[in-house]
Amino acid sequence: MSSTAEDFRHPAHQAARTPDHQPAPSPRVVVIGAGIVGCSLADELTGRGWTDVTVLEQGPLPAPGGSTSHAPGLVFRTSPSKTLAEFAKYTVEKFRSLEVDGVACFDQVGGLELATTPERLAELHRRAGYAASWGIRAEVVSTARCKELWPLLDESMVLGGLHTPDDGLARALLAARAQMDRATARGARFLERHTVTGIEREHGRVTAVVTDRGTFPADHVVSAAGFWGPVVGAMAGVDVPLQPLAHQYAKTAPLPELSGAAAEATRPILRFQDRDLYFREHGDRIGIGSYAHRPMPVDPFAVPAYDEARARDMPMPSSYPFTAEDWAPSWEDCRRLLPALRESRIEAGFNGVFSFTPDGMPVLGETRQLRGFWLAEAVWVTHSAGVARAVAEWMVDGRPSLDVHECDHTRFEEVQRSPSYVRERGSQQFVEVYDVLHPLQPMERPRPLRVSPFHARQQQLGAFFLEGAGWERPHWYEANAALLDGPGGLDGPGDHGDHGDHGGLPERDAWSARYWSPIAAAEAMATREKVALYDMTPLRRLEVTGPGALAFLDRMTSNNLRRKPGAVTYTLLLDETGGIRSDLTVARLAPDRFQIGANSPADLDRLLRYAPDDVRIRDITSGTCCVGVWGPLARALVQPLTADDFSHEGFGYFRVRRTWVGHVPVTAMRLSYVGELGWELYTTADLGLRLWDTLWEAGQELGVIAAGRSAFDSLRLEKGYRAWGTDMTDEHTPFEAGLGFAVRMDKEEFVGQEALSGLPEPTRRLTPLLLDDPAAVVLGKEPVHVDGVPAGYVTSASYGYTLGRCVAYAWLPAGLPTGTGVQVVYFGEKVAATVADEPLFDPKMTRIRR
């Protein structure tokens, strides 16, 4: 492989230029599906100069019969996901500018979410915090104000509401038509009644789309087929983890209270989430959608074509017959909330099909298995224009302008792609659309899926497991409850276990006490004072080997990897604009062999995309395991078990070696993500249990404990260690994120180097905060006010048990001096905090390097 920078350019760039670097003709793009996503994408691509765009649709235009054709058009922008909020904000902005034949594509009637329980009212305050964090106007309003906004309400049921005045109703078919017309004027073509039957490929790249009416050559193919996405994906040899489900929607008969309506809708979209319902006006009628019924999965391979659906008396493929028995309980709830409905009836209804994924997020991006084949699937009208912009930027510029890692199709583990998993989790996502979900709340099933070799011992110790990426992860151990009663013991209220009142911890509110135990404090302090074992098996491990491994990894990452075998380097995987795609630890085990500590499947995908022929990369996570042995007594535990020298002089910080711990061969890395002396010990999965037992038995006289993820998060935040995907993403540069030490601008060329060299001084920084009140706790994503106005948001937060304060990291304006007072808004209450220096704990690193 050549070492020129061109090799690391995005494939779209390569396709768009001729060998002499002169601009080439526009790449040939075929979009499959002319729903709201396909039409939006054609508009975004042609607006960026890619005008050779063909959109293929199996149904008639402009209403082809997919989800767009029946969508009620609700656009609520507030979301726990910043990415979804940004998608929705752009959708509103764009659709507001569109009209067809003088009819607007968006009615900005606003939105109103109701609370009929104290729990929901608290949730609305939390959602108002999300809105402030993401720059969305929102206000928690009184019962009286809810009644003003929606006079038909029975206000005796309502405790309050969340009013979002800039939300509204999208006319999805009109918006699709408006963008279709604009794209057509720029050169795109839209072909109806073309059913895709195959995807042609050559040498790992897409070359054409085959239909029942001809073949269309293509440099890029985008599947925007909605709930038919898995069908199109199968033609390309790509699995699309998407489950279509039917959702009930009904319209009432005309209501006297709405007679004479001069507009389609004037009142805000209404959501009654405590009963999984929403409402919108249709002139003198009310449209009602329900998520309260049983999940109704639909097989995407069995959805009828347009004409076949019509032959079955279905108005369109996405509109299944209304099931009145499923509707009956919701109708009673509707009539209680809106007394005007008590004398009315349902005049029409249907079960409309749309898409869900295992985590409720879209599926976007170019596949590595088939280059040039892109996914833009599981996208609702709410996010459609925003997704289209991101995918168009991705195709034309090589990356979206905002972080989309939550939507990247590579995010799913292999075990999360099975049809049964997708069906079960997709169905559960339907059930949970309006549920109040805690940020730590794990899925309930299917569990367990992935367990480390230590799982049996963890169960014996009373581990409380949460789930991530299919892994069972201990968050604390009930066996450590006794530590709360010992000398210097700590305790406080939690909703798991009753360990008495020791007065060492402040009382927590009910929300922050969920999925938390005071035992975590005891485990954190035991790590600081003695030694603890942490199961680090779920952290992703990659093996990179081959003659070109060093040169390749050095080019792909920001730090200097040209160090002798035995060295470990913390480095960053950047994109071409200098954004942080991931952070890695790279251990050089031999001249041509490396072990990488990575984050998500996207890291493996990115490396595989650019790896030359003389480099081999494989994911070794499932076949290996890891124990973190950390604490001031870590050396006293490990040294007697090995003949190698584990002294500070003999085994320095950020070094690695192959050795033996008892009878177990291990790769030992002297790393610590909790700020204490210690090692990460890796071995094969078959020897994992023996490794654990060896360490556990030897550590008894030292007071060893097993510690969980809750303590780990507290300790790592006290040291200021970042978590990729939470604290920073590719929207952020290393210098903004406080990771400039991991960038060697003077080394030979690396991806992102040129972009970093031209950056101005950062205007924002990842900033450490200490909450002033020792009893205050925040969890993340809360807005932060500076001088009384929103100025940023919290990323990670956890109580720092060593410091006696909650630690929060937040994106805030650069230049805030240490000691600056700010306010974090937690459930509507302003909590005082202070900008702090980092690291907050052991700034001279004496505890790690000893």
Side-chain angles (χ1 to χ4, degrees):
M1 180 176 179
S2 166
S3 61
T4 65
E6 188 69 13
D7 293 322
F8 291 89
R9 295 175 63 86
H10 191 272
H13 292 176
Q14 298 175 29
R17 300 188 72 84
T18 57
D20 61 358
H21 299 283
Q22 296 301 311
S26 173
R28 298 167 300 178
V29 180
V30 174
V31 179
I32 301 173
I36 189 64
V37 178
C39 292
S40 297
L41 180 58
D43 182 47
E44 295 287 338
L45 285 172
T46 56
R48 287 168 172 76
W50 281 24
T51 55
D52 190 351
V53 176
T54 301
V55 183
L56 303 175
E57 174 54 58
Q58 64 177 340
L61 293 174
S67 300
T68 302
S69 300
H70 71 245
L74 283 69
V75 178
F76 278 87
R77 296 168 302 155
T78 303
S79 169
S81 166
K82 179 176 181 289
T83 299
L84 290 187
E86 293 293 342
F87 286 161
K89 285 167 63 178
Y90 181 73
T91 299
V92 169
E93 176 188 334
K94 185 175 188 181
F95 287 5
R96 282 184 61 196
S97 70
L98 300 176
E99 64 175 42
V100 176
D101 299 331
V103 180
C105 293
F106 189 80
D107 284 340
Q108 201 160 51
V109 294
L112 179 63
E113 304 177 43
L114 299 178
T116 60
T117 65
E119 293 77 15
R120 180 67 64 178
L121 186 59
E123 168 73 358
L124 295 187
H125 280 286
R126 190 163 68 102
R127 288 179 60 77
Y130 292 148
S133 291
W134 316 145
I136 297 167
R137 284 205 301 161
E139 180 186 9
V140 177
V141 297
S142 67
T143 300
R145 179 60 175 151
C146 292
K147 179 70 171 179
E148 285 180 24
L149 292 166
W150 253 87
L152 301 186
L153 287 174
D154 178 354
E155 68 268 34
S156 69
M157 294 179 60
V158 179
L159 302 180
L162 179 67
H163 183 217
T164 48
D166 302 321
D167 291 339
L169 293 165
R171 294 184 174 88
L173 281 177
L174 274 189
R177 165 78 182 281
Q179 294 176 99
M180 184 188 309
D181 291 345
R182 294 204 317 191
T184 300
R186 299 185 189 116
R189 56 178 176 167
F190 290 76
L191 303 178
E192 64 180 359
R193 299 291 189 173
H194 281 65
T195 299
V196 174
T197 59
I199 307 293
E200 293 187 349
R201 69 203 80 178
E202 186 175 339
H203 305 304
R205 280 200 66 88
V206 69
T207 58
V209 176
V210 182
T211 76
D212 58 349
R213 298 176 66 177
T215 298
F216 296 84
D219 301 305
H220 298 272
V221 173
V222 185
S223 178
F227 53 77
W228 283 288
V231 179
V232 174
M235 297 178 194
V238 173
D239 64 295
V240 179
L242 175 161
Q243 177 60 56
L245 286 110
H247 161 60
Q248 290 200 302
Y249 191 79
K251 289 183 182 179
T252 67
L255 298 175
E257 292 82 356
L258 300 179
S259 63
E264 181 181 355
T266 58
R267 294 175 175 84
I269 313 160
L270 186 67
R271 292 210 280 192
F272 182 19
Q273 289 135 307
D274 289 323
R275 288 294 182 269
D276 297 305
L277 292 164
Y278 63 83
F279 306 82
R280 59 152 295 181
E281 294 170 292
H282 291 277
D284 61 356
R285 294 167 168 79
I286 292 179
I288 309 167
S290 172
Y291 293 99
H293 55 82
R294 62 189 170 89
M296 303 179 195
V298 173
D299 181 357
F301 291 87
V303 175
Y306 189 91
D307 292 330
E308 182 185 350
R310 302 282 288 193
R312 296 187 195 176
D313 292 326
M314 295 167 57
M316 62 186 80
S318 62
S319 181
Y320 279 59
F322 191 65
T323 49
E325 64 277 13
D326 293 303
W327 179 257
S330 290
W331 182 233
E332 292 306 310
D333 290 330
C334 295
R335 297 169 74 194
R336 280 195 292 271
L337 182 70
L338 304 177
L341 298 183
R342 293 171 187 170
E343 303 302 321
S344 186
R345 60 185 173 81
I346 295 300
E347 191 170 77
F350 64 96
N351 291 357
V353 181
F354 64 137
S355 303
F356 287 81
T357 59
D359 60 4
M361 300 293 286
V363 179
L364 311 178
E366 184 192 28
T367 65
R368 179 174 47 81
Q369 302 94 320
L370 183 58
R371 296 294 187 92
F373 184 77
W374 296 76
L375 298 173
E377 298 291 9
V379 182
W380 294 6
V381 171
T382 300
H383 311 114
S384 56
V387 164
R389 178 179 64 169
V391 173
E393 291 171 338
W394 210 339
M395 296 174 72
V396 176
D397 303 326
R399 70 182 293 273
S401 58
L402 72 155
D403 165 53
V404 297
H405 82 274
E406 293 176 307
C407 310
D408 194 317
H409 73 97
T410 64
R411 69 188 182 272
F412 295 110
E413 304 287 340
E414 185 175 3
V415 71
Q416 296 173 313
R417 293 178 173 272
S418 73
S420 58
Y421 183 95
V422 173
R423 179 186 175 95
E424 186 167 2
R425 289 303 305 153
S427 297
Q428 187 62 25
Q429 287 296 326
F430 177 92
V431 171
E432 294 175 352
V433 163
Y434 284 163
D435 285 1
V436 177
L437 299 176
H438 193 276
L440 293 177
Q441 186 168 330
M443 67 177 187
E444 296 179 359
R445 59 183 189 276
R447 289 179 66 189
L449 275 178
R450 308 174 81 182
V451 297
S452 81
F454 322 131
H455 187 69
R457 297 294 183 264
Q458 293 165 344
Q459 288 178 307
Q460 292 167 6
L461 293 170
F464 179 79
F465 293 99
L466 296 180
E467 181 272 343
W471 287 101
E472 296 295 317
R473 302 184 180 197
H475 271 241
W476 65 83
Y477 294 85
E478 289 294 329
N480 294 325
L483 297 176
L484 299 168
D485 301 314
L490 297 168
D491 198 10
D495 65 352
H496 297 283
D498 180 8
H499 309 295
D501 180 12
H502 298 272
L505 286 175
E507 184 174 347
R508 284 202 176 206
D509 65 278
W511 185 254
S512 66
R514 290 185 66 186
Y515 304 105
W516 174 84
S517 167
I519 294 173
E523 293 176 358
M525 298 310 296
T527 307
R528 291 278 188 241
E529 295 167 0
K530 294 183 179 181
V531 61
L533 305 184
Y534 287 81
D535 182 1
M536 306 304 289
T537 301
L539 300 185
R540 185 169 308 279
R541 292 172 291 285
L542 309 178
E543 182 184 71
V544 182
T545 58
L550 174 60
F552 169 65
L553 290 175
D554 203 46
R555 283 288 312 283
M556 291 296 293
T557 64
S558 63
N559 212 337
N560 177 26
L561 300 187
R562 296 184 180 277
R563 302 170 63 193
K564 293 180 180 179
V568 182
T569 305
Y570 177 81
T571 188
L572 304 173
L573 194 65
L574 305 178
D575 64 20
E576 289 75 9
T577 69
I580 305 170
R581 291 189 64 100
S582 188
D583 63 340
L584 312 173
T585 54
V586 180
R588 192 175 187 186
L589 305 180
D592 59 356
R593 182 169 175 239
F594 296 81
Q595 181 172 310
I596 295 177
N599 287 296
S600 74
D603 296 345
L604 174 63
D605 184 84
R606 178 153 177 94
L607 293 175
L608 286 172
R609 283 176 186 269
Y610 295 109
D613 293 339
D614 60 352
V615 173
R616 294 175 296 281
I617 305 171
R618 67 187 186 103
D619 190 328
I620 60 172
T621 309
S622 298
T624 57
C625 59
C626 178
V627 182
V629 185
W630 290 315
L633 301 183
R635 183 175 287 115
L637 172 55
V638 177
Q639 183 63 84
L641 301 175
T642 179
D644 279 315
D645 182 2
F646 270 56
S647 69
H648 182 62
E649 296 74 19
F651 198 152
Y653 190 53
F654 263 72
R655 301 292 298 175
V656 60
R657 68 171 51 155
R658 290 283 296 167
T659 186
W660 300 83
V661 171
H663 298 289
V664 180
V666 300
T667 298
M669 297 187 198
R670 189 168 169 198
L671 306 176
S672 174
Y673 288 95
V674 299
E676 295 293 337
L677 171 69
W679 288 265
E680 292 178 357
L681 303 177
Y682 299 86
T683 192
T684 52
D686 60 324
L687 291 169
L689 193 58
R690 184 58 180 263
L691 175 62
W692 181 278
D693 288 345
T694 298
L695 294 166
W696 186 257
E697 180 180 348
Q700 290 308 298
E701 63 183 25
L702 301 173
V704 70
I705 67 161
R709 187 79 185 183
S710 187
F712 176 90
D713 282 337
S714 171
L715 297 169
R716 71 102 179 162
L717 277 173
E718 289 184 332
K719 285 298 293 178
Y721 295 143
R722 278 62 166 149
W724 185 85
T726 301
D727 295 316
M728 72 280 190
T729 67
D730 61 7
E731 288 186 359
H732 309 110
T733 70
F735 308 121
E736 293 175 323
L739 298 176
F741 66 88
V743 179
R744 292 291 180 266
M745 293 297 294
D746 57 350
K747 78 169 187 173
E748 292 187 21
E749 184 180 10
F750 63 90
V751 175
Q753 182 182 42
E754 182 178 354
L756 292 181
S757 65
L759 289 178
E761 280 294 310
T763 59
R764 61 181 176 179
R765 290 192 186 275
L766 188 60
T767 305
L769 305 175
L770 280 175
L771 272 57
D772 294 353
D773 183 353
V777 176
V778 298
L779 300 181
K781 299 187 179 181
E782 297 88 357
V784 180
H785 288 208
V786 178
D787 295 329
V789 298
Y793 60 92
V794 173
T795 57
S796 294
S798 180
Y799 200 85
Y801 302 110
T802 317
L803 303 172
R805 294 286 192 279
C806 182
V807 180
Y809 271 77
W811 282 105
L812 291 173
L816 294 179
T818 299
T820 300
V822 301
Q823 294 175 315
V824 182
V825 182
Y826 181 69
F827 285 93
E829 299 293 327
K830 291 182 177 179
V831 179
T834 302
V835 173
D837 278 329
E838 61 175 343
L840 302 169
F841 176 77
D842 188 25
K844 295 184 178 179
M845 304 285 284
T846 57
R847 298 175 71 91
I848 291 177
R849 295 189 173 98
R850 61 180 173 182

